[in-house]
């Protein structure tokens, strides 16, 4: 599971964020009981014993950070949220200079606004958080076997387009930074 997170972080920052949200919720579902996570989750994961031990240590470190950050009931690790905020900054910059991205976002914007308005007293920090929340909500609904309305599928497809474009530019910029150092 740690290896999955590392791979996602290296290849698709949006998928990484959503995966980390899942892992946080998994820890909460087991009420921070690391022995149960090891018994019922990690031991059934098809990896070597060494990888299972690394994964157990990774969950323990994540659970500790969540507790230190007061995330026992809700919320996300500050390190994961920094990735979300990086995508938001990229989003705001691209809106000014990239007509292709502007068009992609314009397709998603009505859905973003609808979700922001529906959130009433607890609005997301920014538009990209809304896109991620929408996709994560769809994932959770599907895992729970719930029916998803067509308009939500349309919205999450638009959110996915936004995140896919941001992901591509994010890694182009990351590679440019590596080459310039």
């Amino acid at each position: 599971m740690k290896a999955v997170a590392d791979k996602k972080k290296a290849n698709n920052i949006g998928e990484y964020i959503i995966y980390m949200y899942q892992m946080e919720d998994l820890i909460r579902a087991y009420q921070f009981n690391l022995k149960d996570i090891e018994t019922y989750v990690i031991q059934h994961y098809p990896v070597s014993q060494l990888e299972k031990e690394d994964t157990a240590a990774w969950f323990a470190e994540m659970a500790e950070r969540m507790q230190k950050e007061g995330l026992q009931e809700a919320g996300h690790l500050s390190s994961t949220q920094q990735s979300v905020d990086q995508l938001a900054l990229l989003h705001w910059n691209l809106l000014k200079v990239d007509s292709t991205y502007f068009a992609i976002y314009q397709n998603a914007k009505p859905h973003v606004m609808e979700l922001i308005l529906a959130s009433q007293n607890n609005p997301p920090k920014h538009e990209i958080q809304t896109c991620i929340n929408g996709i994560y909500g769809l994932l959770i609904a599907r895992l729970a076997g719930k029916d998803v309305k067509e308009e939500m599928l349309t919205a999450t497809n638009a959110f996915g387009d936004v995140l896919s474009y941001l992901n591509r530019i994010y890694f182009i910029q990351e590679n440019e930074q590596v080459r310039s150092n």
Side-chain angles (χ1 to χ4, degrees):
M1 298 179 151
K2 179 187 183 308
V4 171
D6 291 342
K7 185 175 180 182
K8 287 183 181 295
K9 189 172 187 178
N11 295 307
N12 190 316
I13 196 69
E15 285 184 12
Y16 166 75
I17 292 164
I18 290 168
Y19 186 76
M20 292 303 292
Y21 284 10
Q22 282 181 280
M23 297 301 100
E24 293 165 350
D25 282 345
L26 179 75
I27 291 169
R28 287 186 196 104
Y30 281 94
Q31 299 174 333
F32 290 78
N33 185 325
L34 296 172
K35 287 202 179 294
D36 282 352
I37 292 172
E38 190 168 346
T39 300
Y40 299 110
V41 179
I42 298 170
Q43 288 306 316
H44 296 281
Y45 204 62
V47 296
S48 70
Q49 188 58 37
L50 180 61
E51 287 175 284
K52 288 178 183 181
E53 291 167 10
D54 286 346
T55 299
W58 180 68
F59 270 111
E61 185 267 334
M62 190 184 317
E64 182 180 329
R65 287 187 357 218
M66 288 174 69
Q67 288 175 322
K68 282 182 181 174
E69 293 182 26
L71 304 173
Q72 292 87 340
E73 300 296 320
H76 303 291
L77 288 166
S78 59
S79 58
T80 304
Q81 286 309 110
Q82 286 173 355
S83 295
V84 177
D85 292 344
Q86 285 178 311
L87 289 181
L89 183 59
L90 181 58
H91 158 76
W92 294 319
N93 290 333
L94 288 176
L95 284 175
K96 299 175 207 169
V97 298
D98 188 324
S99 60
T100 302
Y101 180 71
F102 186 86
I104 290 169
Y105 180 68
Q106 289 306 307
N107 187 45
K109 188 175 180 178
H111 306 293
V112 169
M113 293 299 120
E114 184 178 329
L115 288 180
I116 288 173
L117 292 172
S119 63
Q120 295 177 341
N121 295 336
N122 192 18
K125 187 174 176 183
H126 43 65
E127 301 96 328
I128 300 308
Q129 185 69 65
T130 302
C131 292
I132 290 169
N133 290 356
I135 291 173
Y136 187 60
L138 174 64
L139 172 69
I140 296 301
R142 285 188 169 161
L143 287 173
K146 294 182 179 176
D147 288 331
V148 179
K149 294 180 180 176
E150 187 61 38
E151 51 270 12
M152 190 58 190
L153 293 174
T154 301
T156 54
N157 283 336
F159 300 159
D161 292 343
V162 166
L163 293 174
S164 292
Y165 197 92
L166 289 173
N167 181 67
R168 187 171 66 80
I169 301 302
Y170 175 88
F171 281 105
I172 288 171
Q173 290 181 354
E174 288 285 309
N175 288 334
E176 288 173 359
Q177 285 179 347
V178 168
R179 279 185 268 156
S180 69
N181 289 336

